[in-house]
Amino acid sequence: GEDVEQSLFLSVREGDSSVINCTYTDSSSTYLYWYKQEPGAGLQLLTYIFSNMDMKQDQRLTVLLNKKDKHLSLRIADTQTGDSAIYFCAERGPGEPVLTFGGGTRLMVKP
Amino acid sequence: DTAVSQTPKYLVTQMGNDKSIKCEQNLGHDTMYWYKQDSKKFLKIMFSYNNKELIINETVPNRFSPKSPDKAHLNLHINSLELGDSAVYFCASSQRIGIEQFFGPGTRLTVL
């Protein structure tokens, strides 16, 4: 079955850039997503990228997709303490609109 | 005007009890989902309904019975609760052919 993997933890200083990485195994993925989960809260869709794109930028967020290596990354520029959360990568295959999630990366931003 | 809402937010109950979690979306979506997030934060799909019909059931024990009275609601009933059912349950919705999936705030279930 599909598998999505992320590193567990990332710590950065306020003002630095954060890069959160994700790898996936399903070569037929159509869309790849980044969700943010703050403590005690639900999942908030941050951004997504269609599988035929290499890059998508949305304000402080840049998503890079390397389809050959099945590698997705999320770069957050000028990271703020409010960005501290768990970030989930997810992929969607060509069939039913169900998401397969990675285990989440906990981002800690130090002042 | 919350898009996807769930009740209750917290549920603490004894093993063996039966409980329900409710979900409602006001986005006009035709597809709804239940996901389970365990203590290690792993999120897995449990069920998906499209226009009140079950389209995905991911090897979930039949103690879990989803019910969709209409397109805007997907409730989850759990019989004979077990310790391992303790988790956060998230409801979500989307258009079946849509790109974006929106999540509810989650229901934290604790089975004692």
Side-chain angles (χ1 to χ4, degrees):
Chain A
E2 305 89 359
D3 199 20
V4 181
E5 306 237 343
Q6 301 176 236
S7 51
L8 283 177
F9 192 73
L10 175 65
S11 178
V12 300
R13 293 226 168 266
E14 195 173 15
D16 288 349
S17 292
S18 309
V19 179
I20 303 171
N21 294 304
C22 171
T23 57
Y24 60 98
T25 57
D26 187 359
S27 56
S28 62
S29 295
T30 53
Y31 290 94
L32 294 122
Y33 301 80
W34 284 104
Y35 280 84
K36 176 184 180 183
Q37 185 179 29
E38 297 185 36
L43 281 89
Q44 174 195 353
L45 177 63
L46 286 178
T47 187
Y48 61 87
I49 188 167
F50 187 45
S51 59
N52 69 353
M53 296 169 64
D54 298 325
M55 185 180 99
K56 182 177 179 181
Q57 186 152 3
D58 184 0
Q59 299 182 336
R60 292 191 297 124
L61 305 178
T62 304
V63 179
L64 294 177
L65 176 60
N66 181 328
K67 200 172 178 185
K68 176 174 163 287
D69 293 340
K70 300 192 194 74
H71 182 266
L72 181 74
S73 68
L74 174 70
R75 179 175 178 271
I76 306 173
D78 187 24
T79 314
Q80 304 296 306
T81 53
D83 295 325
S84 293
I86 301 177
Y87 290 81
F88 290 93
C89 165
E91 68 89 24
R92 172 182 161 179
E96 296 299 342
V98 168
L99 303 182
T100 301
F101 283 87
T105 298
R106 186 178 295 273
L107 173 65
M108 179 181 287
V109 183
K110 297 178 183 175
Chain B
D1 57 348
T2 308
V4 183
S5 58
Q6 296 178 228
T7 53
K9 190 168 170 63
Y10 299 97
L11 184 53
V12 181
T13 189
Q14 300 282 343
M15 241 173 34
N17 283 350
D18 304 338
K19 290 293 177 186
S20 291
I21 307 172
K22 295 186 177 182
C23 178
E24 177 181 1
Q25 55 94 4
N26 61 6
L27 297 166
H29 289 159
D30 60 5
T31 305
M32 295 184 73
Y33 314 81
W34 278 108
Y35 288 84
K36 179 180 178 182
Q37 185 177 43
D38 65 22
S39 57
K40 294 182 179 174
K41 302 296 185 186
F42 288 110
L43 263 160
K44 284 204 72 174
I45 183 71
M46 298 174 70
F47 300 102
S48 177
Y49 268 71
N50 174 258
N51 282 320
K52 303 193 298 175
E53 288 192 20
L54 181 67
I55 54 172
I56 289 173
N57 179 346
E58 288 287 322
T59 57
V60 177
N62 53 19
R63 296 183 295 106
F64 290 77
S65 49
K67 284 188 174 49
S68 183
D70 56 58
K71 278 195 324 180
H73 295 85
L74 180 62
N75 303 323
L76 184 63
H77 187 76
I78 317 169
N79 288 329
S80 303
L81 277 155
E82 299 177 358
L83 294 177
D85 298 332
S86 295
V88 181
Y89 292 84
F90 286 101
C91 177
S93 75
S94 74
Q95 288 296 108
R96 189 170 189 175
I97 57 168
I99 298 168
E100 299 181 31
Q101 204 167 108
F102 294 88
F103 282 75
T107 295
R108 182 176 293 276
L109 171 65
T110 303
V111 182
L112 303 174

